[in-house]
Amino acid sequence: MTDTKRRVKLYALNADRQWDDRGTGHVTSCCVERLKGTALLVRAESDGSLLLESKIQQDTAYQKQQDTLIVWSEGDNFDLALSFQEKAGCDEVWEKICQVQGKDPSVEITQDIVEESEDERFDEMSDNVQPVELPACEMGRLEDISELVNSCLVSPARKDKLAAALESQHYIKKLLNLFHMCEDIENIEGLHHLYEIFKSIFLLNKNTLFDTMFADDTIFDVVGCLEYDPSLPQPKKHREYLRELAKFREAIPIKNQDLLAKIHQTYRVQYIQDIVLPTPTVFEDNLLSTLSSFIFFNKVEIVKLIEDDEKFLTDLFKLLMDDKTPDSKRRDLVLFLKEFCNFSQNLQPQDKDTFYKTLVSLGILPALEITLSIDDQKTKTASIDILTYIVEFSPSVVRDYTLQHANNTEEEQMLLNIVIEQMLRDRDPELGGAVQLMGVLRILLDPESMLASVNKSEKADFLNFFYKHSIQTLIAPLLENTTGEKPLREDYHTVQLLGLVLELLSFCVEHHTYHIKTCILNKDLLRRILVLMRSTHTFLVLGALRFMRKIIALKDEYYNRYIIKGNLFAPVVDAFLRNNGRYNLLDSAVLELFEFIKLEDIKSLCSHVVENYGKILEDVEYVQTFRTLKMRYDQHQDKLSKERERVSGSVGVAEAVVPSLLRTRYRREARAPDDEEEMWFNDDDELDDDAPLDAAQAHAHAHAHAHAHAHAHHALDAIGKIVEKKVCSSTENANGPSRVLLSTTAASKPTHTDVQVSSPRLLNKGLVDYDGDSDEEEEGGGGGGGGGGGSGEERDAKRPRLA
């Protein structure tokens, strides 16, 4: 019996007083020598790893709740809970705990919970705390009962004693009988006392008392007691609301009676916590934590029971997708699914992932394509909530679905386009649904949420899909409203909608560099958006300005040239001048835009602004932005003019330097010509003399020419690189880079017409037409020249003259 494994979920209470799922496994209770006692062990069912090893301490208070829960504390702030799949397993482990502690298994709690300080504990020990003696449950003693219950709230030990007394004497049901009597005779004073008594019982924070108060036969009487707040002139009508106004609609008949009872109980307890009881701020921290835990575990159990009933969910989605289902019935189905998804938020990530995979496999996304388009506000709102739950947890699920159905679905019927269309068609004056759908689109389009996807191409595929099939739907109202010089429609609903579109487009500019750039340039989108700068609604003007600011922040020259070519600063300057120097957000935003251009030294935009709007903006003196921008522009122009002067001056220097450089290069690499080169030069002389060739000579000439051509090509390439390097080096040393380039092509014998050398202005003479080089020759020693050797005259005779 001790080693019998039972399937459980292990929970731990976190710092936010929420239960975290630590995993699913099987629990055993056995003796552990290392711990010197009996311990509870939970091993994970997935890999057998140890999830929990907890020794059953003699003084630890274990609580049994709702037949399948065992809760206890380890340390001061570490609460644990085991949620059993079967009641029998819970009972067996509970018996073992009670056996170790020497308690009767029939109890719901094994120890009195003592949380007070050591001084308080000593005081109570010295006073020999006795069990609480409750007065007789009579109408005349209600005031005494109220005072006694309130007096016990100050001490944890007294609270435990009072809870034990209330439970052992079945005192709650006796009090509820008195409630009926007081209502029958309209004893208002007694009803006020009962309100105080039951409010204090809630503050005892005991699960065993909640089980009694929330039973089907008592919960409405408890709610009735809490209607008679002494601070109110008239009692509330909570029971009337729960019984008559709050109708439970079964979208599909629920045959599981345990599930049905759990749903009813959870709704009523949630109503008590949220509506009936006073706001938690009047109590001590976490004073109703057990009530929150009660609701939490109820919701988890409801989700599990529904998930396990495959037929129920299958029938639900079949009915939801059926064209013959009336809209009223479909609304109930969607509202049920919304509540179902809401309860699932209490699940841990692993269970939540399984939950949403189940819904997707059953067809939740194609169902939403239908329900989002229904012209019923409740259905549409609930559908948006469901889609938001799914996208917030796993946007990849929606992206994958969209891409899978891209080829076999018309554009207007695609889920992504339906979402955009419903956002643009939202009739709510405050655009609540549109704002929510814009948030959904933003999550779907966020590249950062695509990085962790299993599908590595998801980012590229989905963005390609969006900009091919959906972007035109998104910007359609923007283009329709900006065909003239001013926005065509300025009603509040339209401009609010355009504000949302601008916000989403600004997000795209910031995160989608290539795709949105192509869209903006091809559709001239920035020009159309800047038409909104003439709107009478300042927030829309700021939205258009923010969009342009996002573009300029990228410092992309494609965008900058587009802005300059289209003169797109004109609407911004116009809005700035119309603002007339008023100290407001628009003024600051425009100034910040130009300040950014100045600080980042975006030269193209700086020059464009100064050249086109400098005269207009120079009168703005309350900030230094435009004056500094003009100074930056002047400095840039001065620098450019100096560079032009250096470049033009460098040409003459290069003409004088290059020939000697060439000769120096040849002298530095002097070598004896090989036989083939000597033959080429000799043949050259013979050709110059027009001497006839016999067959042997012709063959030798052809062979030599092939090699010489390759050598000449290599030599001239080297010359080009050397000259370019030398010229650039010399001009850069003169504080300015040279823009003169040397370009050469391979040269052969001058008699061949297919060989050309292109020479720029730098080398407007032949490379070997040296003028005034005698000094260089003398410095070189007269002999040992480069290339073919010999004197300058001999080189002129043997080397081809390059045009």
Side-chain angles (χ1 to χ4, degrees):
M1 182 72 68
T2 302
D3 294 324
T4 302
K5 293 186 177 181
R6 297 291 176 182
R7 193 166 185 265
V8 295
K9 272 189 175 296
L10 176 64
Y11 293 92
L13 197 65
N14 61 27
D16 297 326
R17 308 300 295 174
Q18 299 293 323
W19 289 100
D20 289 337
D21 188 350
R22 295 299 181 87
T24 303
H26 294 85
V27 62
T28 58
S29 55
C30 58
C31 183
V32 179
E33 291 186 10
R34 178 171 52 82
L35 299 177
K36 299 180 180 180
T38 304
L40 297 176
L41 305 179
V42 178
R43 295 193 177 276
E45 65 178 1
S46 58
D47 56 6
S49 60
L50 191 64
L51 299 178
L52 174 71
E53 184 181 65
S54 173
K55 181 181 178 181
I56 302 175
Q57 303 287 351
Q58 291 291 332
D59 55 351
T60 298
Y62 292 85
Q63 297 182 58
K64 184 181 178 186
Q65 302 176 7
Q66 304 178 42
D67 293 332
T68 55
L69 277 176
I70 296 177
V71 183
W72 73 99
S73 297
E74 293 202 356
D76 294 334
N77 297 302
F78 189 58
D79 294 349
L80 295 171
L82 289 178
S83 177
F84 288 79
Q85 182 174 328
E86 300 177 10
K87 180 179 181 298
C90 182
D91 291 341
E92 288 186 5
V93 173
W94 183 251
E95 287 178 8
K96 187 63 179 180
I97 293 171
C98 292
Q99 178 184 340
V100 172
Q101 293 195 344
K103 303 290 182 180
D104 186 347
S106 62
V107 301
E108 299 291 331
I109 182 169
T110 61
Q111 301 286 336
D112 293 334
I113 301 176
V114 181
E115 299 176 357
E116 64 271 28
S117 65
E118 291 294 329
D119 291 339
E120 291 173 329
R121 186 179 300 129
F122 179 81
D123 290 341
E124 290 192 349
M125 288 175 62
S126 61
D127 292 339
N128 294 321
V129 177
Q130 299 295 325
V132 174
E133 294 185 7
L134 294 170
C137 194
E138 299 172 355
M139 196 175 299
R141 304 294 302 275
L142 284 175
E143 184 176 0
D144 297 335
I145 299 171
S146 177
E147 291 177 356
L148 175 65
V149 173
N150 282 326
S151 67
C152 292
L153 294 178
V154 297
S155 165
R158 296 280 292 170
K159 285 167 63 176
D160 293 337
K161 296 292 185 182
L162 175 61
L166 291 172
E167 184 182 2
S168 62
Q169 298 181 30
H170 305 289
Y171 209 77
I172 289 177
K173 290 193 175 183
K174 295 177 182 178
L175 290 171
L176 294 177
N177 290 332
L178 284 181
F179 167 71
H180 287 294
M181 295 170 59
C182 289
E183 269 204 321
D184 291 340
I185 63 174
E186 297 183 356
N187 183 353
I188 301 301
E189 183 181 358
L191 292 171
H192 287 168
H193 288 312
L194 284 167
Y195 171 87
E196 297 291 347
I197 291 169
F198 273 94
K199 188 182 78 170
S200 300
I201 291 175
F202 270 96
L203 298 181
L204 293 176
N205 208 24
K206 300 301 177 184
N207 197 76
T208 53
L209 300 180
F210 290 158
D211 288 338
T212 302
M213 291 191 292
F214 298 153
D216 289 341
D217 58 338
T218 56
I219 188 167
F220 281 102
D221 293 337
V222 173
V223 172
C225 291
L226 296 172
E227 290 179 350
Y228 292 92
D229 187 347
S231 63
L232 300 176
Q234 295 293 330
K236 296 285 187 178
K237 297 183 179 180
H238 298 304
R239 285 173 293 173
E240 180 182 339
Y241 175 82
L242 288 173
R243 282 180 172 146
E244 300 175 13
L245 300 179
K247 297 294 184 182
F248 176 67
R249 293 186 178 90
E250 289 186 78
I252 289 182
I254 298 175
K255 298 178 181 178
N256 187 334
Q257 294 303 311
D258 292 338
L259 172 60
L260 199 58
K262 192 67 71 175
I263 291 173
H264 286 308
Q265 184 189 59
T266 304
Y267 176 80
R268 292 161 185 166
V269 175
Q270 187 83 62
Y271 182 84
I272 290 173
Q273 184 186 46
D274 295 341
I275 307 297
V276 179
L277 289 175
T279 54
T281 53
V282 301
F283 305 134
E284 297 176 8
D285 292 340
N286 303 321
L287 211 51
L288 291 174
S289 59
T290 303
L291 184 61
S292 299
S293 298
F294 186 96
I295 296 170
F296 171 87
F297 285 113
N298 266 19
K299 289 181 177 180
V300 171
E301 188 172 351
I302 289 171
V303 172
K304 292 297 184 185
L305 288 171
I306 294 175
E307 270 190 295
D308 293 342
D309 193 343
E310 295 181 4
K311 186 177 184 305
F312 178 84
L313 288 176
T314 303
D315 292 345
L316 186 148
F317 278 98
K318 189 182 297 182
L319 194 58
L320 188 61
M321 300 284 287
D322 192 347
D323 295 335
K324 298 178 182 179
T325 303
D327 288 347
S328 58
K329 184 68 174 178
R330 189 174 274 116
R331 182 200 307 137
D332 291 341
L333 293 169
V334 173
L335 290 172
F336 174 84
L337 277 176
K338 175 200 167 183
E339 202 66 24
F340 189 36
C341 291
N342 182 31
F343 280 16
S344 75
Q345 300 308 298
N346 295 299
L347 299 175
Q348 296 303 311
Q350 183 178 355
D351 294 329
K352 202 182 293 185
D353 184 56
T354 304
F355 170 81
Y356 284 117
K357 283 181 179 177
T358 301
L359 291 187
V360 170
S361 65
L362 290 169
I364 184 69
L365 294 177
L368 288 176
E369 291 178 346
I370 298 173
T371 58
L372 280 169
S373 303
I374 292 178
D375 194 20
D376 177 80
Q377 193 58 41
K378 287 186 176 180
T379 304
K380 188 173 295 186
T381 302
S383 301
I384 293 172
D385 289 339
I386 295 170
L387 181 62
T388 304
Y389 284 134
I390 297 172
V391 170
E392 285 181 346
F393 180 74
S394 180
S396 292
V397 170
V398 179
R399 293 193 201 106
D400 291 343
Y401 172 80
T402 303
L403 294 174
Q404 288 170 9
H405 294 79
N407 297 326
N408 53 11
T409 309
E410 296 182 8
E411 278 195 5
E412 62 271 13
Q413 296 178 348
M414 295 176 180
L415 177 60
L416 190 62
N417 285 355
I418 290 173
V419 170
I420 296 173
E421 196 68 34
Q422 292 306 315
M423 182 185 86
L424 300 178
R425 288 183 178 180
D426 189 9
R427 296 194 298 267
D428 180 8
E430 299 299 326
L431 293 178
V435 171
Q436 199 170 350
L437 287 173
M438 194 272 287
V440 168
L441 288 170
R442 188 165 177 155
I443 295 173
L444 290 175
L445 294 171
D446 187 357
E448 292 185 4
S449 66
M450 303 178 190
L451 299 178
S453 173
V454 177
N455 181 9
K456 298 302 180 185
S457 64
E458 181 186 61
K459 178 179 176 180
D461 293 345
F462 188 77
L463 291 181
N464 286 335
F465 172 87
F466 174 76
Y467 284 96
K468 182 178 180 181
H469 299 286
S470 304
I471 189 69
Q472 63 272 15
T473 306
L474 179 65
I475 64 176
L478 182 63
L479 299 179
E480 290 171 5
N481 206 38
T482 55
T483 53
E485 294 183 357
K486 292 183 177 181
L488 299 181
R489 297 176 59 187
E490 287 273 68
D491 59 281
Y492 181 74
H493 185 272
T494 300
V495 296
Q496 283 283 91
L497 192 60
L498 292 180
L500 289 178
V501 174
L502 278 179
E503 187 176 344
L504 195 57
L505 289 175
S506 298
F507 175 83
C508 292
V509 167
E510 192 173 0
H511 294 87
H512 307 162
T513 51
Y514 166 72
H515 296 86
I516 190 66
K517 184 197 300 182
T518 305
C519 176
I520 290 172
L521 299 181
N522 289 345
K523 298 182 182 297
D524 199 12
L525 191 58
L526 179 57
R527 180 188 302 279
R528 303 293 288 273
I529 287 175
L530 289 176
V531 172
L532 301 177
M533 295 291 291
R534 299 192 69 85
S535 172
T536 56
H537 298 271
T538 306
F539 79 89
L540 192 60
V541 176
L542 290 169
L545 183 63
R546 187 184 306 113
F547 180 78
M548 187 175 185
R549 174 66 173 79
K550 292 285 186 185
I551 289 177
I552 293 175
L554 297 175
K555 296 187 283 188
D556 188 320
E557 278 304 311
Y558 282 102
Y559 277 134
N560 294 344
R561 288 197 292 270
Y562 165 63
I563 292 171
I564 293 169
K565 184 178 179 181
N567 196 27
L568 298 182
F569 274 106
V572 178
V573 175
D574 179 59
F576 180 69
L577 295 177
R578 282 187 286 109
N579 191 54
N580 200 25
R582 286 191 292 271
Y583 187 65
N584 54 20
L585 187 57
L586 175 59
D587 185 77
S588 300
V590 174
L591 291 174
E592 192 277 335
L593 174 67
F594 290 112
E595 190 73 20
F596 177 82
I597 295 172
K598 181 197 74 176
L599 293 175
E600 296 296 326
D601 196 19
I602 307 176
K603 294 181 176 60
S604 57
L605 296 184
C606 177
S607 300
H608 174 72
V609 170
V610 174
E611 291 171 1
N612 290 274
Y613 310 105
K615 296 292 185 184
I616 302 173
L617 298 173
E618 66 182 3
D619 295 333
V620 180
E621 297 180 348
Y622 60 91
V623 290
Q624 299 299 313
T625 301
F626 300 110
R627 181 180 297 176
T628 312
L629 204 61
K630 178 68 165 58
M631 291 172 56
R632 186 68 59 87
Y633 169 77
D634 292 339
Q635 292 170 359
H636 183 54
Q637 293 302 313
D638 291 343
K639 186 176 180 181
L640 285 178
S641 63
K642 290 179 181 178
E643 286 182 357
R644 281 194 291 267
E645 291 174 1
R646 292 193 190 98
V647 169
S648 60
S650 66
V651 175
V653 174
E655 289 176 347
V657 171
V658 168
S660 62
L661 287 176
L662 288 171
R663 288 205 308 265
T664 303
R665 176 68 175 171
Y666 277 131
R667 282 196 293 269
R668 184 160 54 246
E669 295 180 359
R671 59 179 174 80
D674 57 24
D675 294 338
E676 291 178 346
E677 287 180 321
E678 195 67 50
M679 185 183 296
W680 184 81
F681 285 115
N682 293 335
D683 290 342
D684 192 22
D685 292 336
E686 293 172 4
L687 285 174
D688 289 341
D689 296 334
D690 294 324
L693 299 173
D694 58 18
Q697 288 174 325
H699 177 74
H701 170 75
H703 181 70
H705 175 66
H707 285 276
H709 188 84
H711 281 284
H713 182 79
H714 173 76
L716 286 172
D717 276 350
I719 292 170
K721 294 177 182 177
I722 295 164
V723 173
E724 182 178 356
K725 181 176 179 181
K726 291 290 184 181
V727 172
C728 291
S729 175
S730 64
T731 54
E732 284 176 2
N733 290 337
N735 296 325
S738 173
R739 298 191 180 188
V740 182
L741 300 177
L742 173 67
S743 64
T744 60
T745 57
S748 183
K749 296 189 296 180
T751 55
H752 289 225
T753 59
D754 60 332
V755 179
Q756 298 178 355
V757 176
S758 62
S759 175
R761 154 167 90 95
L762 171 62
L763 300 178
N764 51 13
K765 298 184 178 182
L767 287 178
V768 292
D769 267 346
Y770 302 118
D771 292 333
D773 290 347
S774 58
D775 293 341
E776 288 284 347
E777 288 289 277
E778 291 172 2
E779 290 173 7
S791 68
E793 292 179 356
E794 290 174 343
R795 283 196 301 273
D796 287 347
K798 293 186 179 293
R799 188 173 298 124
R801 190 174 299 276
L802 303 181

